[in-house]
Each structure stands twice: as structure tokens, then as C-alpha cells.
């Protein structure tokens, strides 16, 4: 009987160790794959620790990489999650609280051939696709999500421009992909729309993007040529 109990205890300990150390890696890989597929952007998680008994998880160094620009669009230093542990094994995952802390949002923009391009427009188009592919049939609802210590940077390597400002904390309730949730893609889309508006209003000089779009390099070149011709005529006289 004692031997049998010892075997059971050892088996439980080994199972727990396997779940704690191997399970975290499996969940981390699944999360990276599913979020990357959903947003059509590479997502990386530096470190993930899950306490399966208490239903808590901590993620470190979560990055959403740019698609047509270098670097990352969003980087989150720390994510803390409290969830209903038993719901993990169902199709509807219930997440009670999510805290995102120390967030950096990078808005990259360039100007070429009278067109202003940035790293947000293409992502917003992806977020409008409600039927994006996913490797999981799981549904989730986040009852409360807080985002704290957010900084927004506008960068244009071609124009040698960079400026950073702090943003207000954000609070969302009942977001996810269930019938009763606010669609998380709609929420993300709104966040990025607001971020672009803030960039235009507070970071860039007044109407700078409109001026860039109305900039006519051919017209400027012709004006320079005309001035040179007039100078040459004056010299010839």
C-alpha cells in the first residue's frame, strides 16, 4: 500500500513538473502562432509563466513586429493575467483580469512619391477582417483589461524625425471573440485610430502630413530651373 501511495505521489509530482515547465512552452508557442495568424504580424513572447493551480499567468517582453517597417509596432514589458483555470479546458476561456504594464507604441511613417505610408494602415485593414484564420477554435472573454504606463513614439528615419509622448491609462471591459464580447479587433482598431489622431495632433507639426501629401517635387524643380535660367540671362546681358 505504501509503495502504491509513493508511486501515486511521484506520478503527481512529475505531472505537475511537466505541466509547469513543458506546458508553459507549449502554451507560449500556441499563443504566438494564434496571435500572429490573427493579426498577420509576427508576435513574440520572451517569457511566459503560468500558475495552473491559481489561474494566474505572467508574460514578459511581448512584441508585435512591424510588417513593412523595421522594429516593432507594440512592445509590452509585462502582462499579468487572472483567469478561470477550469475554463482553459473548455471552448470558452474566461479571463477575469488582464494588466498590461509599460507599453511602447511606435508609429513609423515615410514620405515617398507624394504618398505618406505608415506601419498602422495595413494592420487596421487586417483587423477589419472578422474571418481571419486561426489555429484554435477557442473563444475568450476578458472581463477587465487595464493598460498602464503607455508611451507613443512617432518615427521617420527618412525624415530624421523622432518624438515620444506619454498617453493616459486605458480601461476596457468584456472584450474578446464571444457573442457577448466587444470584438477585440474592433477595440484594437479604435486604439490605433486614436493613436494616429494623437500623433497628428500632439506630436507632428500642424498639418505636416497634409503638406507632405501636397508637396510637388516637380513643381519645385521647375521653379529652381526657371530661377537659374533668369540668372543666366542676366549674366549674358
Amino acid at each position: 500500500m505504501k509503495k502504491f501511495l509513493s508511486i501515486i505521489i511521484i506520478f503527481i509530482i512529475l505531472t505537475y513538473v511537466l505541466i509547469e515547465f513543458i506546458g508553459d512552452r507549449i502554451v507560449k508557442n500556441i499563443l504566438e502562432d494564434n496571435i500572429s495568424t490573427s493579426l498577420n504580424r509576427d508576435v513574440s513572447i520572451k517569457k511566459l509563466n503560468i500558475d495552473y493551480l491559481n489561474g494566474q499567468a505572467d508574460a514578459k517582453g511581448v512584441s508585435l513586429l512591424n510588417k513593412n517597417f523595421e522594429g516593432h509596432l507594440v512592445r509590452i514589458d509585462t502582462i499579468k493575467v487572472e483567469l478561470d483555470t477550469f475554463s482553459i479546458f473548455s471552448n470558452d476561456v474566461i479571463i477575469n483580469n488582464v494588466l498590461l504594464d509599460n507599453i511602447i507604441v511606435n508609429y513609423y511613417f515615410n514620405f515617398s512619391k507624394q504618398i505618406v505610408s505608415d506601419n498602422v494602415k495595413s494592420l487596421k485593414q487586417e483587423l477589419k477582417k472578422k474571418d481571419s484564420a486561426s489555429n484554435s477554435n477557442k473563444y475568450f472573454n476578458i472581463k477587465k483589461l487595464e493598460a498602464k504606463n503607455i508611451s507613443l513614439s512617432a518615427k521617420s528615419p527618412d525624415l530624421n524625425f523622432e518624438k515620444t509622448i506619454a498617453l493616459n491609462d486605458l480601461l476596457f471591459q468584456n472584450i474578446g471573440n464571444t457573442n457577448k464580447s466587444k470584438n477585440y479587433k474592433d477595440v484594437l482598431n479604435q486604439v490605433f485610430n486614436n493613436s494616429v489622431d494623437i500623433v497628428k495632433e500632439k506630436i507632428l507639426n500642424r498639418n505636416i502630413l497634409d503638406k507632405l501629401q501636397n508637396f510637388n517635387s516637380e513643381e519645385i524643380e521647375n521653379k529652381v530651373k526657371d530661377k537659374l535660367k533668369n540668372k543666366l540671362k542676366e549674366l549674358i546681358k
Side-chain angles (χ1 to χ4, degrees), residues 27-81:
V27 173
K28 174 178 171 292
N29 291 336
I30 291 172
L31 284 173
E32 287 177 334
D33 289 343
N34 282 327
I35 300 172
S36 297
T37 301
S38 180
L39 300 180
N40 197 20
R41 297 289 186 287
D42 288 337
V43 172
S44 64
I45 302 170
K46 188 174 182 180
K47 190 176 181 182
L48 177 66
N49 291 319
I50 302 173
D51 187 335
Y52 295 91
L53 295 179
N54 295 322
Q56 296 179 340
D58 292 325
K60 304 284 186 184
V62 179
S63 295
L64 173 63
L65 302 182
N66 283 315
K67 194 172 183 180
N68 299 317
F69 290 79
E70 293 183 0
H72 56 267
L73 172 58
V74 179
R75 180 175 172 80
I76 307 170
D77 277 357
T78 305
I79 299 178
K80 293 183 181 294
V81 179

Side-chain angles (χ1 to χ4, degrees), residues 29-204:
N29 291 336
I30 291 172
L31 284 173
E32 287 177 334
D33 289 343
N34 282 327
I35 300 172
S36 297
T37 301
S38 180
L39 300 180
N40 197 20
R41 297 289 186 287
D42 288 337
V43 172
S44 64
I45 302 170
K46 188 174 182 180
K47 190 176 181 182
L48 177 66
N49 291 319
I50 302 173
D51 187 335
Y52 295 91
L53 295 179
N54 295 322
Q56 296 179 340
D58 292 325
K60 304 284 186 184
V62 179
S63 295
L64 173 63
L65 302 182
N66 283 315
K67 194 172 183 180
N68 299 317
F69 290 79
E70 293 183 0
H72 56 267
L73 172 58
V74 179
R75 180 175 172 80
I76 307 170
D77 277 357
T78 305
I79 299 178
K80 293 183 181 294
V81 179
E82 295 177 7
L83 61 137
D84 183 334
T85 307
F86 293 104
S87 71
I88 296 174
F89 305 101
S90 70
N91 288 329
D92 296 315
V93 180
I94 301 169
I95 303 170
N96 296 317
N97 289 293
V98 175
L99 173 61
L100 314 179
D101 194 19
N102 200 7
I103 306 163
I104 301 171
V105 181
N106 290 314
Y107 175 76
Y108 284 87
F109 68 97
N110 281 328
F111 177 71
S112 177
K113 297 180 181 179
Q114 295 181 249
I115 298 174
V116 177
S117 60
D118 62 35
N119 61 335
V120 174
K121 288 178 184 175
S122 58
L123 177 59
K124 285 163 62 179
Q125 291 172 354
E126 292 294 337
L127 292 173
K128 288 179 182 177
K129 299 177 183 177
K130 307 291 187 188
D131 57 346
S132 296
S134 175
N135 296 329
S136 173
N137 59 355
K138 292 275 189 183
Y139 293 92
F140 70 93
N141 180 70
I142 302 173
K143 292 183 178 179
K144 181 181 176 183
L145 186 149
E146 294 178 275
K148 296 185 175 182
N149 301 313
I150 311 166
S151 61
L152 173 62
S153 294
K155 300 180 179 182
S156 179
D158 290 349
L159 299 175
N160 194 27
F161 179 89
E162 182 174 349
K163 191 171 182 180
T164 303
I165 62 169
L167 299 182
N168 294 329
D169 294 346
L170 299 175
L171 174 63
F172 303 99
Q173 292 181 325
N174 291 319
I175 65 172
N177 61 354
T178 70
N179 292 330
K180 297 179 180 179
S181 309
K182 295 175 188 173
N183 190 285
Y184 74 99
K185 289 189 176 183
D186 291 339
V187 174
L188 276 174
N189 209 354
Q190 187 59 52
V191 168
F192 285 119
N193 280 335
N194 293 341
S195 298
V196 172
D197 289 342
I198 291 169
V199 167
K200 291 179 179 179
E201 181 185 346
K202 295 186 177 181
I203 297 182
L204 300 178

